[in-house]
Amino acid sequence: MEAFVIEGGAVLSGKVQVHGAKNAALPILAASLLVRGEIELVDVPDLLDIRVMIDILTALGVEVEREGHTLYVNTDPLETNIVPEHLMSQMRSSIFLLGPLVSRTGEAVLSYPGGCSIGNRPIDMHINSLRKMGVTIHEYGGTLVAEAARLRGAHIVLDFPSVGTTENILMAAAFAEGKTIITNAAREPEIQDLARFLTAIGARIQGAGTHRIMIEGVPRPTHVRVTHRVMPDRIVAGTFVAASAMTGGDILICGAALEHMEAVIEAFQKSGTDISHDQGGLRVKGKRPIRALHKVMTSPHPGFPTDMQAQLMAHLALAEGTSVMVETVFDGRFRHVPELIKMGADIVVDYHTAVIRGVSRLNGARVKATDLRAGAALVLAGLAAHGTTTVMAPHHIDRGYEKLEESLASIGARITRERVASTLHGAT
Ligand code: UD1
């Protein structure tokens, strides 16, 4: 089995570059289906989730070519609106395809991402919103069949500012008949990036990045030719902030958009990390002692992002004093905790709340990445720990970080990707 093997204790220094944002590139790739034309997407990271989305587009007939970090997408030859189940099940974000496919072809056939059924939490808001826009959606044994001769604008009030739902509505509304208003829309920077892309292909959108977005449905252009640069990945940048903070490092993070990272920068600064704007980048110097944070609560943007919760927790595991983290966005997002405990962390979880009593050192251990950000947190803990840490299942980390081990090694980390035996204790 593959693993990241980390010799802890190296102090990071040097420059590291942030790649394009997975969570912006995925909906933009889905949105490319809305129109016929040639679309050039710049700074698309080469990640597992992106490859799955490209495989889906290819299976639908679209031509996608990669040259480095640029994708050339030709959406003219779209020939089917049936998304293969084996690809759909690999990535929850494949639900993004619903809006664009129905908009362009009047129909979409997809399976449930992860196999849940209508009414269950994960996609109910997507389904209900599209229904309001005139889409008929039926379920046949785990397959969703969506149809709409014409999509029509609607006023949609979201119960919760869901990122994916806001994006699906934006895509469905762009070339619908009439005006769509989304109230309590998500405000994540990735929504603004999608809105910029949609505007480039002809959509008329106001208010992206605020709680109220207005989309004036316009006729679909007959053919487009556009270039779009994907925004930098704020979570990758935040993970590098944690890496420097935890190792007492001094690094320059290039290409990050500071305006997207205020809550993360503030949390690390409060914990004692020295962060400044320097040479066009973000200079991050780790300081000791790390100060505990009395209450950090994840919340939709501009709050502290749930996608940085695990990494901040790894940092706070080494703080002086007791920190409290409350996860309000997702259930069951503390799967890194038992693994951090194996490394000597002192953390107790009660439902949505984790109480982290800082320890003076973490020790290397064999641990398992259970999901993307949990995996990143374990790598960070390994960088700061005494001894060797083996992080099993790095494919989870590859879903969101392009060659994380190479980026970290370039700033002094002792980390390698290796094949290790799977039978040793702790490799569950
Ligand atoms: C996106 C991000 C993910 C991030 C999350 C929150 C992408 C590809 N992924 O995920 O990295 O962690 O935003 O910032 O952009 N919910 C429902 N019903 C729905 C949809 C969502 O109950 O129909 C719930 C979810 O279970 C969750 C909450 O709403 O508890 C937030 O989900 P959402 O904002 O939709 O996240 P995603 O778009 O899936």
Side-chain angles (χ1 to χ4, degrees), residues 23 93 121-126 160 162-164 306-307 329-330:
N23 287 354
S93 337
R121 280 193 72 189
I123 57 168
D124 55 341
M125 289 163 74
H126 295 256
F160 179 88
S162 153
V163 177
T306 175
D307 286 352
V329 180
F330 283 104

Side-chain angles (χ1 to χ4, degrees), residues 87-375:
L87 293 172
M88 190 72 200
S89 63
Q90 286 184 37
M91 189 178 51
R92 185 163 309 283
S93 337
S94 45
I95 190 66
F96 291 143
L97 297 158
L98 192 54
L101 277 178
V102 173
S103 169
R104 169 130 170 227
T105 71
E107 198 184 28
V109 180
L110 13 101
S111 51
Y112 281 96
C116 51
S117 48
I118 287 186
N120 278 3
R121 280 193 72 189
I123 57 168
D124 55 341
M125 289 163 74
H126 295 256
I127 303 282
N128 294 338
S129 305
L130 289 174
R131 280 187 171 148
K132 276 200 135 184
M133 299 182 71
V135 184
T136 314
I137 302 176
H138 292 293
E139 183 204 349
Y140 303 99
T143 299
L144 277 176
V145 179
E147 287 168 288
R150 283 202 106 111
L151 277 162
R152 48 168 202 270
H155 186 182
I156 298 167
V157 181
L158 297 179
D159 293 339
F160 179 88
S162 153
V163 177
T165 308
T166 304
E167 292 169 338
N168 230 337
I169 301 169
L170 272 174
M171 296 188 272
F175 306 117
E177 208 174 82
K179 184 191 284 183
T180 298
I181 296 174
I182 314 173
T183 300
N184 199 21
R187 291 188 281 170
E188 269 65 5
E190 291 76 12
I191 305 249
Q192 296 177 57
D193 206 23
L194 173 63
R196 272 192 292 275
F197 173 76
L198 291 172
T199 304
I201 61 170
R204 284 175 57 189
I205 301 171
Q206 278 176 9
T210 74
H211 275 317
R212 187 179 152 92
I213 306 181
M214 221 164 56
I215 308 114
E216 191 73 59
V218 293
R220 194 183 313 276
T222 46
H223 192 267
V224 303
R225 190 185 285 258
V226 293
T227 298
H228 177 84
R229 173 175 283 277
V230 175
M231 60 172 269
D233 196 310
R234 62 198 167 98
I235 305 301
V236 169
T239 303
F240 290 137
V241 169
S244 189
M246 290 176 67
T247 59
D250 180 357
I251 69 169
L252 186 68
I253 303 171
C254 300
L258 307 195
E259 65 276 19
H260 299 161
M261 298 179 62
E262 284 175 5
V264 169
I265 290 173
E266 190 182 315
F268 277 90
Q269 280 175 331
K270 276 190 188 156
S271 77
T273 309
D274 183 348
I275 304 179
S276 58
H277 199 198
D278 192 10
Q279 300 166 49
L282 197 60
R283 177 124 185 233
V284 184
K285 295 187 206 170
K287 299 279 178 205
R288 288 291 183 273
I290 296 169
R291 290 198 291 266
L293 299 180
H294 299 305
K295 190 162 180 184
V296 184
M297 200 184 276
T298 65
S299 56
H301 193 78
F304 189 86
T306 175
D307 286 352
M308 276 299 297
Q309 178 255 106
Q311 300 91 314
L312 180 62
M313 193 184 295
H315 176 63
L316 296 177
L318 286 166
E320 229 176 54
T322 300
S323 304
V324 176
M325 302 258 307
V326 185
E327 171 59 63
T328 72
V329 180
F330 283 104
D331 290 333
R333 209 174 190 184
F334 284 138
R335 292 175 74 195
H336 42 286
V337 170
E339 305 301 299
L340 288 172
I341 290 173
K342 283 184 198 163
M343 300 179 70
D346 182 352
I347 305 171
V348 178
V349 170
D350 181 20
Y351 195 43
H352 284 306
T353 304
V355 177
I356 307 131
R357 280 188 287 261
V359 293
S360 58
R361 65 182 256 177
L362 293 171
N363 297 309
R366 188 173 170 114
V367 289
K368 186 176 177 191
T370 49
D371 63 66
L372 166 56
R373 308 302 171 188

